[in-house]
Amino acid sequence: MQSALLYVAIKHHGNWNKIYHALEEHTKIPRQSLTKLENKIKCDYITIINKNYPIHLKQIYKPPFVIFGVGEFSNFNQPLVTIVGRVEKFNLEFLNALHELGYGFVYQINENTYKSAKRMVQLNYRVVFVVNNGINHDWHELYGSNTLVISEFYNKPPEEYRDQSLNRITLGSENKILFIDYDEHEQYQNELALCHFERNHLYKIVYKYDQSIVNQWTKHHAELIWNIGQFKAVFSGV
């Protein structure tokens, strides 16, 4: 069954609906094609029926049938916090505190966060990177002793499907979501909507008082973090 999941996941470029219908219709898979595909795969993978499949991902809407990865899948078995926002000097104090408390991070890669991701590797953080161009893309700058690079796609996915994958997996990999960036009122609306859908616990670092910002995040039931002392107290007890 795991081989069948691998086959349909690659055949349908990670498209959840197409994979689901192929499985529902009991699509026949030639043994020769299956063997050829298994020999061709250049990364590790884990399927939804594997006992080591991440528990939080299994509970989200449309969990990936197959997760392709390079690195240590055991990272999913350690305490994690999903980080939303760019890693800058002003917020490293908070990330270092989480690191010292034994937390790793789930972090989404796109054109705006790739520089931050490389910094997290240099700092030797334990990170699960969620990427969008397929695991077969060259992500060598993100590989490290403490990192895991994952994707729902083996090859680069069709443009029409890329919109639904990253946030779903990033925000579903762990139920604790920390927003670390400066505030822009409309910046995180899609992420916040998905967080509510998945019943995540939200935390927001507030760097300066602004009533509209406080109102926005309070409306979304986020716990506001005002200083490093409060931050350490909150996460040491999570």
Side-chain angles (χ1 to χ4, degrees):
M1 183 61 181
Q2 297 208 69
S3 297
L5 285 169
L6 175 67
Y7 181 87
V8 294
I10 292 180
K11 179 180 179 181
H12 295 294
H13 304 288
N15 188 304
W16 196 95
N17 291 332
K18 290 182 178 180
I19 296 170
Y20 178 83
H21 290 307
L23 296 171
E24 188 177 42
E25 294 170 2
H26 303 287
T27 301
K28 292 184 179 180
I29 304 171
R31 169 55 60 180
Q32 185 177 1
S33 298
L34 193 58
T35 302
K36 183 178 180 180
L37 179 63
E38 289 176 324
N39 292 334
K40 182 181 178 182
I41 294 295
K42 298 178 181 179
C43 68
D44 295 323
Y45 65 91
I46 190 170
T47 72
I48 195 170
I49 62 174
N50 190 295
K51 65 179 182 179
N52 294 321
Y53 188 94
I55 185 170
H56 290 296
L57 276 182
K58 191 173 287 188
Q59 296 169 350
I60 70 171
Y61 175 65
K62 293 186 176 180
F65 290 103
V66 180
I67 302 171
F68 300 96
V70 175
E72 293 295 328
F73 273 98
S74 60
N75 278 352
F76 272 117
N77 300 324
Q78 305 297 322
L80 295 168
V81 176
T82 293
I83 300 297
V84 180
R86 286 174 292 188
V87 177
E88 305 287 357
K89 289 182 179 179
F90 63 82
N91 54 38
L92 276 178
E93 182 180 21
F94 294 93
L95 297 187
N96 285 335
L98 283 175
H99 178 64
E100 291 170 3
L101 288 169
Y103 285 96
F105 308 111
V106 178
Y107 196 66
Q108 181 183 125
I109 304 303
N110 56 45
E111 60 183 12
N112 295 318
T113 62
Y114 195 75
K115 182 178 179 181
S116 295
K118 290 195 293 183
R119 174 175 289 195
M120 296 173 87
V121 175
Q122 293 165 358
L123 291 169
N124 204 33
Y125 291 155
R126 179 167 51 83
V127 192
V128 176
F129 292 115
V130 184
V131 299
N132 64 347
N133 283 331
I135 203 65
N136 204 25
H137 186 82
D138 185 5
W139 301 105
H140 72 277
E141 291 183 307
L142 303 183
Y143 299 156
S145 58
N146 286 332
T147 65
L148 170 65
V149 181
I150 66 168
S151 180
E152 189 173 7
F153 314 112
Y154 182 70
N155 296 307
K156 186 175 181 179
E159 291 293 329
E160 65 271 16
Y161 187 62
R162 291 174 62 183
D163 62 340
Q164 65 173 294
S165 65
L166 273 183
N167 281 353
R168 190 176 96 255
I169 298 176
T170 305
L171 300 178
S173 294
E174 182 52 61
N175 68 353
K176 293 182 285 293
I177 314 296
L178 175 64
F179 290 81
I180 63 171
D181 219 339
Y182 283 127
D183 295 278
E184 295 178 20
H185 295 301
E186 302 299 325
Q187 182 177 2
Y188 296 128
Q189 292 308 304
N190 292 335
E191 287 89 342
L192 288 170
L194 187 54
C195 284
H196 283 301
F197 188 79
E198 299 295 351
R199 296 189 175 96
N200 297 125
H201 299 292
L202 307 184
Y203 304 89
K204 175 70 183 85
I205 300 173
V206 182
Y207 299 95
K208 59 182 179 179
Y209 183 82
D210 182 312
Q211 187 62 53
S212 62
I213 290 173
V214 171
N215 290 343
Q216 176 189 11
W217 289 91
T218 301
K219 178 183 69 176
H220 290 292
H221 307 289
E223 181 165 354
L224 303 182
I225 306 293
W226 297 94
N227 55 63
I228 190 66
Q230 178 197 7
F231 183 81
K232 290 180 178 180
V234 167
F235 280 91
S236 62
V238 171

